[in-house]
Amino acid sequence: MSARWSAAIEELQGAWPALEEIVRVDVDDEGGLVLTAVGAGSTRWFTHDDRGLIERFPAQDPKVLLAGRLAHTSDWRVLSYRPSRRMVVRVERGEGPLVIKGHKQGRSTKAAANQRIAEAAMARGAFRVPKMLLHEPEREAMAFEWLAGHEVELGPGCELHYRRLGQELRVFQEDPAALDLKTHMLADEFEVLAKWRAKVRTAVEELPAGWDDVHARLAEAARTLPGAELGLAHRDLHDRQVHAVDGRVALLDFDLLCRADSALDPANLRAHLAWRVLQELHGARADSVRAAQAAFLEGLARSGTRGFEARLAFWSAAALLRIALVYRLRPRWAGRVQALIALAEQHLEDAALAP
């Protein structure tokens, strides 16, 4: 554990006696730590750098312009907050709640364009997405309808939703708007892994045991990977993005929308489902998750495509290596990420054997 990590925890424990858990740790652009913590029924956010521990407040964030609007009203609550980067809040209105997402300077225009592409794909038969009601570029803010549904739990019966998700993801992947988007290729994925590797080294100094070895095998496998079949990609598809709304499957958060290998989103979803079993969260059981994965791939109907199985296994290994780093920075789960490294290694073996 790094001296900075130890100092941050010690100072946070001293400043907040009611602290129960540090939920998330991140590293900002200057190498400082960003901490999300819970205690006494509340969530609080802090940064820790050479100045020491500083509490951050969503309504006072100078880099997220939405904060200025929130400072003058009390009818909102935070759904997610990343200091200096973005926030998502639920705002109460007489006609019903809204979701408002605020970005840092210069980010909302691209996010709004991505949202419009996702909504157009929905109109062509893809999954339900929350409709954007307003984009305010001057505030770097987007307002969405509130979807009155629920996250799909991963117990018995979830395969019905996941089969539908697979069917509608295929429609989404084949949407013609993908031709106009930035492409996320192998080099981009290795860049993402490098970023998270640097974060872990900065925060805790040590990578999960064996991570570098499996990463080297991933780089070797990339040299002989079958050519990508490109299409529209969510690029952050995981089970907590999957909701049931009025009998339909809905997906959230299209900020990372791009053009990518058609195996990328399925692989990221598969990796997260495996992780939920290891976490024992959201009703996940080995048998119900296997059923969900099988139903999803059956709905997607790409398994017969030459090279898809090898690409799916490769991108699954990449996703598992990334998840291992992300959760290495979440104290509650840091002790379980070793299993992800072993699973990534197994997927690379599968990739080598796949036709």
Side-chain angles (χ1 to χ4, degrees), residues 13-228:
Q13 289 172 334
W16 191 16
L19 173 69
E20 296 170 6
E21 180 183 357
I22 298 174
V23 177
R24 179 199 301 266
V25 179
D26 202 347
V27 179
D28 63 25
D29 294 339
E30 288 74 43
L33 300 184
V34 183
L35 304 101
T36 303
V38 296
S42 66
T43 301
R44 294 167 67 176
W45 299 269
F46 302 84
T47 54
H48 188 276
D49 53 28
D50 293 339
R51 299 167 296 173
L53 187 72
I54 300 172
E55 185 162 6
R56 304 294 300 274
F57 300 94
Q60 299 175 16
D61 193 320
K63 292 189 178 181
V64 182
L65 299 185
L66 178 62
R69 177 174 176 176
L70 299 178
H72 302 291
T73 181
S74 61
D75 61 349
W76 58 275
R77 66 180 177 88
V78 176
L79 299 178
S80 95
Y81 176 47
R82 306 289 295 277
S84 299
R85 293 177 59 183
R86 71 173 188 173
M87 68 179 74
V88 183
V89 300
R90 171 175 164 147
V91 177
E92 302 300 333
R93 291 287 185 266
E95 61 273 22
L98 300 176
V99 174
I100 302 181
K101 179 182 289 188
H103 293 263
K104 69 179 182 180
Q105 191 72 39
R107 294 297 181 90
S108 71
T109 297
K110 180 63 165 38
N114 287 351
Q115 177 65 26
R116 294 187 187 101
I117 291 171
E119 290 185 28
M122 175 180 68
R124 297 183 184 105
F127 33 71
R128 178 84 160 83
V129 307
K131 295 179 181 178
M132 184 172 64
L133 305 176
L134 180 68
H135 174 218
E136 294 183 326
E138 67 279 5
R139 294 184 186 271
E140 299 288 357
M142 303 155 61
F144 299 89
E145 64 173 329
W146 175 263
L147 291 184
H150 59 86
E151 294 179 354
V152 174
E153 292 296 283
L154 298 175
C158 68
E159 66 270 16
L160 301 176
H161 294 286
Y162 276 88
R163 179 175 289 105
R164 181 69 178 270
L165 175 63
Q167 294 167 345
E168 296 185 348
L169 180 64
R170 174 133 190 178
V171 174
F172 181 78
Q173 290 179 332
E174 295 175 351
D175 193 273
L179 297 175
D180 301 323
L181 287 168
K182 175 184 176 181
T183 302
H184 183 88
M185 302 297 285
L186 290 173
D188 302 299
E189 188 69 13
F190 279 103
E191 185 176 325
V192 172
L193 288 171
K195 180 189 76 172
W196 277 103
R197 184 184 187 279
K199 286 186 176 187
V200 171
R201 291 298 302 268
T202 297
V204 296
E205 295 184 350
E206 292 185 356
L207 298 173
W211 192 94
D212 272 336
D213 291 339
V214 179
H215 179 264
R217 290 189 58 187
L218 186 77
E220 183 66 28
R223 296 188 179 95
T224 57
L225 191 68

